[in-house]
Each structure stands twice: as C-alpha cells, then as structure tokens.
Amino acid sequence: MSASSLAAPGEAARPDAPWLHGEAKREAPNGVQDGAIRSARFRKGREESWRRLETLLAKLDKKGLKALSAPETIELPRLYQIAVSSLSLARAIILDRRLLAYLENLCFRGYLAVYGPRETLAEVSVAFATRGFPAAVRSLKIYILAAFLVYAAGILAGWLQVGRDINHFHRVLPPSQSQIQVSDSPQELLANEIFPPFPGFERTFVVFANFLFRHNAQVAFLSFALSLALGVPTVLIAFYNGEVLGALLSLHAQKGLLLPYAAWLSIHSVTEILAFVLADAAGLSIAHKILFPGRESRLKALSRQGREAGVVMLGVVLMLFIAAFLEGGARQLFNHTGARIAVALLTGSLWLAYFRYAGKERP
Amino acid sequence: MSATRPPAARRATSRMGTPNPFGKAPKTRTVMAPEGLALISRIPPRSERLAAFLLDFFLILAADFALLTIPFYIGDFSSSLQWTIVLFLTFIVNNAYFIYFELSWQGRTPGKKLLKLRVVNRHGGELSPFSVVVRNLTRQMELLTPTLLWSDGPDNLLVNVALPIVWFFGITLLPFWNRDGLRAGDLLGGTLVISSPRAELLPDLSAPSGDRLESARRFSSRQLSIYGNFELQVLEEILRKPVSDIPRATLWTVARKIAVKIDYPLDPELTAEGLRLFLTDFYAALRAFLEEGRLYGRDKKDQNSPPASGAA
C-alpha cells in the first residue's frame, strides 16, 4: 500500500484538516480551494485506496481467498477500514449521489469479503466432527432427556399392550407394514429373521444399507421438520416408534427369543435410536424456542437455536449412515448373539464417550 | 437485533436517505458492521431469488442426469452395486451442492453469482459455516416434506392431505409472507439474502477541467440558498446523462428555470455546451454551499426547507 493512501483518513482527523476548519479558509468563494470544492478534495485524497480495495475485491471475487498474496490479505482489512471511515464521513457531509452510492457499495462488498465465510468445506467438516457436533449435543441435554422419556414411554406402552394379548401386535404394526406375523413360529423367526444366511457383501453393505440410510434419514428429517408445528408431531412420532419397538420385543419375548432378538436389534439400534432421539431433541428445542423465546426476540431465539439444532441434524444424518452399515451389513456378518451384543456395547460406549468428552474445553 | 428496518418514513427514500426522484426505491435493510457502521443492503425481489434457485436446481438436475446416464454408455449397468453407488453419488450432489458453493464462494452459488445475490449474516458479523449448513439442510425439508407426505397416499386425511397443504403455504411459501424474503432456512440459520450489484465510481461533476478554473461562474450566497439537497441531486442526475441524450431545449428549460428562480442573467444565445457549463458551474457552487452547511449541522433537504446557511 502506498503511503499516500494510508494517510488519507488520517488527514481528516488532523487538527489542521481543511475538513474540520473550513471556516478559516474563507478566502476562496464557497469553499473552493485549488480549483476544487471541499468534497472533491476529500475524494481526491482517498480515491487511490478505494480503487486499490476494488482491485483486491475483484480478485477475491474471481478466484477466491487463495488468489490473494500474504501482504494483500493484510492490506484488505486495512483498506476496508479506510473505506468505512470514508463512508461515515461522506454520509454526514457529501451530497454527490453517485459517490455515496459507490462508497456504500464498496463498503458492503468489503464487509462481505472481510466477514465472509473463511473456512473450506474440509475445515468445517473437521471442526464439526471434533467440536461442533458433540458440543451441540451437550447443549440439548434436557431435550434429549425429554425425547428419551417419550421413547421409553412408547416402548413400555407397546410392551404392555402386546404382553396382555399377543394379537394386539397388529394393532400397533399393521400386517401390511410388518415383515413378521404373530403366527410365525420361533423356528421360522430364527431362520428367516434373526439368523438368515449371509446374502453377500454387495447386497448387505451397499444395497440394503443404502436403502436403510435414505429411509431413516427421511424419517429423522420429517420428525425434525415437524417441530415447526410446535413439536406435537415430533412427540407423537417418537412415541409411536417406541411403541413399535416395545411391541416387537414383547412378541419375541413371548416366543422365547428375547435375548437373540434384542442382540439382533441392538447391534444397529443403539446408534439408530440414539440418532432418532437426537433428531427429536433438536426438534423439541426448536418448538420450545418458538413457544417460549425468553428474553430474546422470537426470531433471534429461533435462529440461534436453529443453528445448534441444524448442527445436531447433520450429525444425526451421519449417525444414521453408520447405523445403516451396521444394520445392512454388520448384523448379517456377525451371525452370533454374543458378537452382536459386543458390537452394540462397543458402539454405545463409543457414542457416549464421544458426546461426553469430544471438543470439551479443558479448564 | 442489530439489523433494523428503516422506519416507515424512510422506506420511500433512496439509499442515501434523500428522496429518490427516479422510480421506485429498492427495499433495503441495514446490516450492522462490526466497525459500528450500519451498512445498507438491498433486499432482492423474490423473482431474483427464485431465478437463482431455479438455475442452481437445473445445474443439480443436470449433474444427476449425467451421473445416472453416463454409466449406461461406459459399461454394464445391470449390477445393483453400480446402481447403488450412482444413487449415493446423486445423494451427495443434491445435498452438498449449496453448502459447498456458499462456503467456498463467499455466500454465493452459481445461480446467486449470476443474479448478484449473496447470503449474509442477518445479525451482522461473520457468516458462520454452520449457518450455511443449516439454511441448506432446511431447504430440502421446506421443499420436499409436502411432496413426501402427499405421495404416501390419502390414507390419513390429517397427515397426508391437510399437513402438506398447510406446510406448503406456511413453510414453502414463507419468503412471500415476510418483507425480507426469508426462507425457513434463513430463520433457523440467522441469514439474509441480499443483492450486491457493483457500483462504478463516476467522475466528480464538480471538478472542472484546468481551463475552467478561472472562468467558472460565481454565485452569491443569496442565490445559492434557494435550492436544497433534493434539487442538487436532480441536477446531478441530469448532468450525468450522456451529452447526446439531452437536447439543447431540455438544457435550456432547466437552466432558464434555475436562472429565473435565482435571478441570474442567463444569455439566451448560449449553445448546448454553454448551457451545460452554466449548469455545471451552478452544480459545483451549490454543492460546495450545501455541503458546507451540512458541515455545520444546517441541512437543507429541498427548496421548501428552512435555509441551510446563516448567510441567507
């Protein structure tokens, strides 16, 4: 940056600046001096730095942040500040419409460049995985507890209903949507559902996992999105999902298959249900802020909570991705109750440790 | 909230806070820069937002189409493995497109860049990458939830029929129900889409060329205290128009009106060039006079306002 462009704003602040002492220079008519009126001189002194800022902004616009050299990245915010101080002076005094429009525009573009997003997708991903996601989950503690309780109530309701009469099973899960029937014998269930032959890597880890992922991600999104309806549908969906789970558990328990079925289920469900609970919790937090924004304005409370909830939802999608691999592939691969329980315990404790400790600031 | 609406009285005025004599004023909103200066941004019309979105949508569709058809030509596409990989790739493209571009192109996607739109932080300050992620994850929900619910069939009148309709009008069309054109994603992400076309720095009309220095007309304080900022800027717009666009007759009308009002003996024989010089001289003198008044806190908005300077 040249010395003159740096001097421009300082000139205005100096006690002998013509700007501040116009009255003393009465000799020229109407503030005209050296053949130029005051605001023309104001422009002359700063124009170079504006043009320079414009050049840098154009470069940035075209090729991105990496196009700027190291000195230029230091120069940019300084030039921006010069432009901002020019604008605030110009707004107070200058009547040249186009000059004002130019400065307004230049400052806004400078503002966007200086305060635009700096991170690349890769940096954001790392920050998300190591800090953003676990921290956002921790901030939803109370909502997670609430969503978990709703789930638990659903499971209990399903379990009790089917426990009283096994034929109630299809009241919870209509035959059209259920792969198993009340009339299935324990042997059939074991052979077809819990320990089917491994259909091959491709069909499990890729095709089935992909289907499950897209399906579950949609369910989680829906549950979250419905939070905008004040959370009532979110709670209902969570309760119903729990009810189905409870009904299935009860059905298998009555056929003497509780442990192998629970193992078959938990290998992926630890991750999947946790993801659903997080999605519901995120939705409930939004609903809470819509109903009770607290001290902030409703919009501001919503956008702050929305960002947290959005971070959680992104994590939920990734968790469902992992769950889909476990459900579509690992469950078929580990054809053994003990191995399945081991995987479930392992994933469960990994998630807990991750949410509890990852990205926590050390005191 | 640091981003504030201009009060109702200012809505009809231009970006400088002075009356805009030239057509409808654009909708604006101020965004507070951390330097403590309220920057004025233009809210784009909804049609520009829609056009940008459709452009991006078209690009995504084209990418999906390429992903789904090209494998047919380069090999055996019967295997479900390949099919699944392709489906997964389209899933990535559909979801990452907006996030990737808004992060790496400073709040712009190809569609937004073409229409000169940008995503900014509504509350001022840096645009957080998580805001970008949130506003774009929500986009899918805004658009797809009604179709997903609807396509499940009319089993449940409440969930499959009523909810999609309410959703469509309440959430999908949300930008039409608020002044700033905010989507649900903008509400959750704390963002705002603004229009940032580039303005050129035009030459200063008051700066005369060298040989005009001596011969520039002088006006008395009394002559200069008649008009205000509004008239000055109307005159500026006239003088900024290309020379060929303004015939002598127009220049004469304007110059004579001024001359009569300020009681200046204007030579009726002046050529177009001469009239232009007179108007330029008057513009420079009036601007210097009014700006000096503003410097001392005496602002004269238009000719009907009280005098700007004690001299009058």
Side-chain angles (χ1 to χ4, degrees):
Chain A
M1 190 186 323
S2 71
S4 69
S5 66
L6 259 184
E11 179 198 347
R14 274 204 319 263
D16 61 333
W19 262 108
L20 300 174
H21 291 260
E23 202 126 46
K25 315 253 177 186
R26 275 277 179 201
E27 65 272 16
N30 309 324
V32 177
Q33 201 185 56
D34 304 331
I37 67 172
R38 197 174 274 121
S39 59
R41 294 200 304 277
F42 165 85
R43 170 175 168 165
K44 223 172 164 183
R46 292 162 177 78
E47 194 171 330
E48 196 187 334
S49 74
W50 301 341
R51 298 267 189 212
R52 176 76 185 133
L53 177 58
E54 215 178 334
T55 318
L56 290 189
L57 288 177
K59 209 165 164 185
L60 194 69
D61 253 14
K62 226 178 226 159
K63 293 179 194 147
L65 210 58
K66 286 195 188 98
L68 299 186
S69 66
E72 280 172 337
T73 49
I74 298 167
E75 200 181 346
L76 180 70
R78 283 162 80 185
L79 288 171
Y80 163 67
Q81 274 160 4
I82 292 173
V84 164
S85 81
S86 306
L87 175 61
S88 61
L89 259 174
R91 267 187 192 164
I93 292 146
I94 289 189
L95 287 172
D96 185 337
R97 242 175 101 84
R98 292 302 172 94
L99 177 65
L100 275 170
Y102 169 79
L103 275 179
E104 294 276 1
N105 185 268
L106 183 70
C107 286
F108 203 86
R109 284 168 55 217
Y111 162 78
L112 294 173
V114 172
Y115 296 101
R118 283 290 165 88
E119 292 88 346
T120 62
L121 195 56
E123 284 164 341
V124 172
S125 310
V126 171
F128 167 80
T130 55
R131 294 192 308 274
F133 182 38
V137 167
R138 282 197 291 273
S139 78
L140 293 182
K141 225 174 266 170
I142 188 84
Y143 305 104
I144 293 173
L145 186 69
F148 190 77
L149 286 178
V150 171
Y151 243 95
I155 292 175
L156 193 67
W159 173 273
L160 291 178
Q161 273 184 73
V162 179
R164 212 161 40 158
D165 181 355
I166 198 164
N167 290 313
H168 284 174
F169 177 74
H170 284 312
R171 294 219 306 226
V172 179
L173 200 64
S176 61
Q177 290 180 28
S178 167
Q179 285 170 1
I180 56 167
Q181 311 297 328
V182 174
S183 53
D184 287 345
S185 71
Q187 288 73 27
E188 278 176 311
L189 285 177
L190 274 177
N192 299 333
E193 186 194 24
I194 300 181
F195 298 116
F198 187 61
F201 177 81
E202 201 177 283
R203 279 201 59 72
T204 53
F205 275 96
V206 184
V207 180
F208 188 42
N210 198 294
F211 160 76
L212 286 169
F213 168 62
R214 279 180 296 153
H215 172 262
N216 288 342
Q218 245 166 40
V219 172
F221 270 147
L222 185 66
S223 168
F224 171 70
L226 292 175
S227 69
L228 290 173
L230 305 184
V232 177
T234 310
V235 169
L236 291 179
I237 290 177
F239 185 84
Y240 177 68
N241 281 341
E243 205 179 351
V244 171
L245 193 63
L248 282 166
L249 283 171
S250 175
L251 179 84
H252 287 84
Q254 290 175 51
K255 293 183 187 289
L257 295 172
L258 185 59
L259 187 68
Y261 183 69
W264 177 83
L265 205 61
S266 62
I267 185 170
H268 73 280
S269 287
V270 167
T271 305
E272 188 182 290
I273 292 178
L274 191 57
F276 279 139
V277 165
L278 289 180
D280 293 338
L284 288 180
S285 75
I286 296 281
H288 180 203
K289 289 296 172 195
I290 295 177
L291 285 172
F292 308 106
R295 281 165 173 273
E296 291 166 309
S297 76
R298 187 162 271 126
L299 273 187
K300 194 159 190 182
L302 193 59
S303 69
R304 215 160 49 82
Q305 193 59 50
R307 219 169 315 170
E308 294 277 294
V311 170
V312 171
M313 283 312 290
L314 191 63
V316 164
V317 173
L318 295 175
M319 285 178 77
L320 289 174
F321 192 69
I322 294 170
F325 271 99
L326 291 172
E327 181 174 5
R331 181 166 75 187
Q332 273 67 268
L333 200 60
F334 298 121
N335 229 336
H336 184 269
T337 299
R340 284 170 178 171
I341 290 180
V343 174
L345 287 178
L346 183 69
T347 49
S349 39
L350 280 178
W351 285 123
L352 281 186
Y354 172 64
F355 291 132
R356 181 81 182 75
Y357 298 109
K360 211 164 196 180
E361 274 161 41
R362 264 153 254 237
Chain B
M1 204 189 298
S2 53
T4 51
R5 288 163 180 221
R10 269 193 59 198
R11 249 175 241 172
T13 63
S14 77
R15 38 199 303 151
M16 269 83 64
T18 46
N20 182 351
F22 308 99
K24 207 174 143 206
K27 275 199 289 185
T28 61
R29 187 178 243 285
T30 56
V31 174
M32 202 65 174
E35 285 76 19
L37 190 70
L39 293 170
I40 298 169
S41 57
R42 197 169 73 82
I43 302 291
R46 294 175 185 94
S47 55
E48 284 182 16
R49 297 273 303 271
L50 187 67
F53 171 73
L54 288 179
L55 212 108
D56 288 325
F57 186 65
F58 176 77
L59 286 177
I60 292 176
L61 278 187
D64 285 350
F65 184 74
L67 277 172
L68 289 171
T69 50
I70 288 171
F72 270 116
Y73 294 101
I74 55 175
D76 170 34
F77 200 50
S78 55
S79 122
S80 52
L81 178 67
Q82 282 169 345
W83 185 245
T84 302
I85 291 173
V86 163
L87 276 185
F88 183 70
L89 285 178
T90 58
F91 179 87
I92 296 283
V93 168
N94 296 348
N95 286 282
Y97 174 90
F98 282 98
I99 297 177
Y100 171 78
F101 281 114
E102 285 183 10
L103 279 178
S104 55
W105 286 12
Q106 285 167 353
R108 291 179 302 181
T109 59
K112 287 197 179 72
K113 191 167 183 173
L114 203 79
L115 283 136
K116 303 190 171 17
L117 304 181
R118 259 177 211 266
V119 180
V120 299
N121 183 340
R122 198 165 70 240
H123 309 296
E126 208 164 313
L127 176 61
S128 134
F130 290 133
S131 292
V132 170
V133 170
V134 168
R135 83 182 290 281
N136 288 309
L137 279 189
T138 324
R139 187 194 304 273
Q140 312 261 337
M141 294 194 278
E142 283 169 39
L143 295 173
L144 296 183
T145 307
T147 42
L148 282 180
L149 292 174
W150 189 272
S151 64
D152 272 0
D155 298 346
N156 186 329
L157 214 60
L158 188 72
V159 174
N160 299 121
V161 180
L163 190 64
I165 291 173
V166 172
W167 186 282
F168 179 74
F169 284 100
I171 309 274
T172 312
L173 296 186
L174 192 66
F176 292 91
W177 312 139
N178 66 81
R179 186 182 162 272
D180 293 337
L182 301 176
R183 286 197 294 116
D186 289 317
L187 288 185
L188 291 183
T191 52
L192 174 70
V193 176
I194 53 104
S195 173
S196 66
R198 190 175 299 181
E200 293 296 321
L201 181 55
L202 299 177
D204 192 336
L205 288 174
S206 79
S209 49
D211 57 339
R212 284 290 300 158
L213 281 183
E214 299 309 314
S215 56
R217 290 179 179 82
R218 301 275 161 94
F219 299 89
S220 70
S221 299
R222 204 181 49 78
Q223 286 174 318
L224 293 175
S225 58
I226 290 170
Y227 288 117
N229 303 346
F230 177 81
E231 291 77 18
L232 178 76
Q233 289 174 347
V234 173
L235 184 58
E236 178 190 340
E237 292 301 323
I238 294 170
L239 290 172
R240 292 242 185 243
K241 287 200 175 136
V243 177
S244 55
D245 277 14
I246 313 241
R248 186 188 173 276
T250 316
L251 285 173
W252 171 247
T253 316
V254 175
R256 202 178 64 103
K257 205 170 171 191
I258 292 173
V260 167
K261 190 124 187 171
I262 68 171
D263 196 19
Y264 184 89
L266 189 65
D267 178 8
E269 302 296 312
L270 279 177
T271 59
E273 182 62 18
L275 287 170
R276 190 171 270 280
L277 278 177
F278 163 74
L279 289 176
T280 309
D281 286 344
F282 183 66
Y283 169 81
L286 182 61
R287 203 177 98 193
F289 182 80
L290 289 174
E291 284 177 347
E292 193 172 298
R294 296 187 91 191
L295 199 56
Y296 297 105
R298 292 185 296 264
D299 201 9
K300 188 170 160 69
K301 289 206 160 33
D302 56 44
Q303 56 183 348
N304 301 319
S305 317
S309 172

